[in-house]
Amino acid sequence: MTPVEIGLLSIVAIIVLIYLGVYIPIALGMVSFLAIWIMRDNIDLSFALLKIAIGDSAMEYTFATIPLFTFMGLIVSKAGLGADIYSVMNQGFRRITGGIGMATVGANAVFAAVTGSSIASASVFSKMSVPEMMKFDYNPRFAVGVVAGSSVLGMIIPPSAMLIIYSFVAEQSVGEMFLAGVVPGLLLAAAYVLAIWLMARFTPGFVGGRKVEVANLMPWSEIALKLGPIAVLIFVVLGGIYTGWTTPVEAGAAGSALGILIAALRGRINWRSFWETVIETGHITAAILFLITAASMYARMLGIAGLPNELQTILAANEFSFFWIMVLLVVLMLFLGTILDTASIILIVVPLFLPLIEALGLSLVWFGIVAVVAAEIGLLTPPLGLSCFVIKATLDDDRITLKDVFLGALPFAAVMLVVLVLLIRFPALSLAILN
């Protein structure tokens, strides 16, 4: 078999195993292990590479960013900062039709800069925003669509678990990936706000709703009290990385400590809830570590098969342009997004395309942003749109079906696709802060 046939067969085998109910990291690792054994007829080599993959994943210093930022996101969520951001944003957009939707996007953007989790955002804001929008006669599909669409900001605006995972796969600086994600994340948030304004103006039936009349506006002192802790957290985490005062690991530790302090001062945490947060952090970290280890094994299998060299040869022989490589990447990402979660897509696809991107002399930091945004669209597309499932599971409202959530998220998936094209066409958007 040719290297390309081996690569394609491995993807098919992984997808089939997942459909059969095999846990994604196990499917990824099992296919890689067996492929190496079959290709080299040496099971000892498979075990040796598995040992190396585990060691490289678990012993990597920068891996500490994953449990630290995960813990920070969970503790900040318990501290109730999401509700504070939303109440302030809702007041700011109160006089605009579709304003609650815009407030949800703005609050999610700020919340993302502290938690880095799309799932946390989807869970928190589906409880707050959807009932509020329906109270003011917004279309239920629009309400859940706004929450689903804006929840993906948690995986683009740093700190982001997906950017950390890409950093491991592509061997890039976590700090540089975080800085590169700032402008694209803000651009996507602005695009969502613009899309909501256009929808309210040209498709009012889809949006629905009416302007919010707030009887008692919050004084500036209360606004400052609600936004102050968030501003301090963002300054400590991202400001520390940007100025070089802290490494990403140190920033995660500082943010976690500050999150505990904020939660304690607000009376939102006790020893039991603290321990529950630690356990949940451990579960999430173990799952991500398992994925990274399996992906490391998969990348080694592709190397042994000779796929990177084969792809470069095909690229040179057929003179594939940058345009067609990007088209192939986006189509593959969108297809896999219908059946796999974001992390799995990145861990499977990125090793295939890294040799092509490097051969073209393109920035791997820019490619990471493109890959994450493309994979994130899968959070909004059926049948496995994870954010949509989280929203449906969180909402206690029989009037809203899973179909409503997916249809409501569709316009926001289209907006993401437009932003993705802009990021591909103008790499400077991702690299502006780094230059």
Side-chain angles (χ1 to χ4, degrees):
M1 295 177 67
T2 66
V4 173
E5 289 172 340
I6 293 173
L8 292 174
L9 185 61
S10 68
I11 293 176
V12 171
I14 291 167
I15 292 173
V16 169
L17 287 173
I18 292 170
Y19 263 120
L20 292 175
V22 178
Y23 187 42
I24 291 173
I26 293 178
L28 197 58
M30 186 164 56
V31 168
S32 304
F33 185 92
L34 292 176
I36 294 171
W37 183 8
I38 292 170
M39 284 188 294
R40 294 300 172 90
D41 193 23
N42 186 350
I43 193 173
D44 292 334
L45 177 61
S46 293
F47 277 115
L49 291 177
L50 179 60
K51 178 181 177 181
I52 294 172
I54 295 172
D56 287 351
S57 302
M59 301 305 293
E60 182 74 31
Y61 170 71
T62 52
F63 179 78
T65 53
I66 292 178
L68 288 171
F69 280 116
T70 299
F71 178 82
M72 183 180 71
L74 293 173
I75 208 75
V76 162
S77 182
K78 286 183 180 295
L81 294 189
D84 287 348
I85 303 166
Y86 179 70
S87 62
V88 173
M89 290 288 179
N90 202 15
Q91 178 173 301
F93 287 98
R94 68 189 183 280
R95 297 187 182 278
I96 306 171
T97 303
I100 301 181
M102 296 178 186
T104 301
V105 172
N108 249 321
V110 179
F111 195 64
V114 202
T115 63
S117 170
S118 293
I119 304 307
S121 295
S123 178
V124 168
F125 286 96
S126 59
K127 293 176 183 176
M128 291 188 300
S129 302
V130 175
E132 184 77 1
M133 279 189 267
M134 293 183 68
K135 185 172 73 175
F136 287 96
D137 302 326
Y138 279 84
N139 185 333
R141 286 185 178 178
F142 172 78
V144 291
V146 169
V147 174
S150 58
S151 70
V152 304
L153 295 171
M155 290 302 185
I156 301 168
I157 296 177
S160 160
M162 290 306 107
L163 293 179
I164 295 173
I165 289 174
Y166 173 83
S167 299
F168 282 111
V169 177
E171 298 181 353
Q172 296 298 300
S173 163
V174 174
E176 287 190 359
M177 291 305 307
F178 279 1
L179 295 178
V182 173
V183 173
L186 295 178
L187 175 64
L188 181 59
Y192 279 157
V193 170
L194 176 61
I196 291 171
W197 183 83
L198 291 173
M199 283 187 283
R201 183 176 178 84
F202 297 107
T203 58
F206 175 72
V207 176
R210 50 189 169 86
K211 295 179 182 178
V212 181
E213 296 297 333
V214 180
N216 297 309
L217 296 178
M218 282 185 288
W220 286 107
S221 58
E222 186 178 350
I223 292 175
L225 195 62
K226 288 180 178 291
L227 295 185
I230 301 155
V232 172
L233 261 175
I234 293 173
F235 174 77
V236 168
V237 176
L238 297 184
I241 295 172
Y242 182 73
T243 58
W245 294 344
T246 59
T247 65
V249 174
E250 293 166 346
S256 297
L258 190 55
I260 294 173
L261 179 61
I262 292 171
L265 291 175
R266 291 183 162 210
R268 299 291 185 91
I269 191 171
N270 52 36
W271 283 112
R272 181 176 179 178
S273 59
F274 175 79
W275 180 245
E276 289 173 351
T277 304
V278 171
I279 295 297
E280 190 175 355
T281 300
H283 289 163
I284 295 172
T285 302
I288 294 175
L289 176 60
F290 200 179
L291 268 172
I292 291 175
T293 300
S296 177
M297 189 71 176
Y298 182 66
R300 285 175 167 80
M301 183 273 290
L302 295 178
I304 290 175
L307 184 60
N309 293 332
E310 183 70 15
L311 288 176
Q312 289 186 30
T313 301
I314 294 173
L315 178 67
N318 294 277
E319 298 182 350
F320 280 166
S321 65
F322 166 78
F323 172 80
W324 287 111
I325 291 175
M326 288 296 102
V327 168
L328 180 60
L329 171 72
V330 172
V331 169
L332 185 57
M333 289 283 198
L334 293 180
F335 167 71
L336 292 177
T338 64
I339 53 176
L340 298 176
D341 65 278
T342 308
S344 301
I345 296 170
I346 291 174
L347 293 170
I348 291 172
V349 175
V350 166
L352 293 173
F353 279 83
L354 280 178
L356 302 180
I357 300 302
E358 288 181 307
L360 293 173
L362 300 172
S363 167
L364 293 185
V365 172
W366 160 82
F367 177 65
I369 299 298
V370 170
V372 169
V373 173
E376 284 296 299
I377 298 176
L379 284 176
L380 308 179
T381 54
L384 195 72
L386 199 55
S387 283
C388 297
F389 276 99
V390 169
I391 290 169
K392 174 55 184 169
T394 304
L395 286 174
D396 186 19
D397 193 333
D398 295 333
R399 294 173 297 174
I400 299 175
T401 65
L402 186 60
K403 178 183 176 181
D404 291 326
V405 182
F406 277 119
L407 289 176
L410 191 59
F412 296 93
V415 172
M416 283 194 75
L417 192 57
V418 172
V419 171
L420 176 61
V421 172
L422 289 176
L423 294 175
I424 293 173
R425 179 64 183 82
F426 303 104
L429 291 171
S430 302
L431 304 175
I433 296 182
L434 296 175
N435 295 329

